[in-house]
Amino acid sequence: MEGKVRKKKSPALSLRVTINRKKIQEKNATETFLSAIKALGPEHVANLQDIRIEGFPLVVSSMDCRMQMRQLGKGWFVCTHMPTKSKKSLLERIAKQLDVNIKVEIIE
């Protein structure tokens, strides 16, 4: 690897989400994102047809091996392969469509 310059990795970002006065902040952005989806109701998020990641639904009832997904309780899988800023904007879009009061902050 001589002669190659390595990029310095950006500091890890996390999220703090407040849904109807309930604060959610887990150990990292992905865990917070999953907890927020669970609080919003994965079945409700799955019904939002325009919430998609690279053409795939964000929340599905069966694992899709083409996407990096995490299981959320029984019967739901959530795509988590995205930057923290995208997780923030997705949560805001979802909450707006579901008419839920939400505040999403990026924490360094």
Side-chain angles (χ1 to χ4, degrees), residues 1 14 22 31-32 40 43 46-47 49 63 73 98 101:
M1 286 236 262
S14 191
K22 180 185 177 201
E31 295 299 325
T32 303
L40 291 166
E43 64 282 359
N47 286 330
Q49 298 299 313
M63 177 67 113
L98 295 176
N101 185 20

Side-chain angles (χ1 to χ4, degrees), residues 15 33 53 81-92 106:
L15 293 173
F33 182 71
I53 305 300
H81 187 70
M82 68 191 85
T84 300
K85 289 179 182 178
S86 296
K87 290 178 175 91
K88 176 186 186 297
S89 64
L90 266 174
L91 287 172
E92 291 168 339
I106 293 181

Side-chain angles (χ1 to χ4, degrees), residues 40 90-102:
L40 291 166
L90 266 174
L91 287 172
E92 291 168 339
R93 281 180 50 210
I94 291 165
K96 184 175 182 176
Q97 289 188 33
L98 295 176
D99 198 26
V100 173
N101 185 20
I102 194 169

Side-chain angles (χ1 to χ4, degrees), residues 10-47:
S10 300
L13 300 175
S14 191
L15 293 173
R16 179 184 307 135
V17 179
T18 307
I19 301 173
N20 296 327
R21 296 186 180 185
K22 180 185 177 201
K23 293 196 185 302
I24 301 169
Q25 185 175 358
E26 306 293 351
K27 64 181 178 178
N28 59 47
T30 297
E31 295 299 325
T32 303
F33 182 71
L34 290 168
S35 292
I37 295 290
K38 188 173 186 175
L40 291 166
E43 64 282 359
H44 300 300
V45 178
N47 286 330

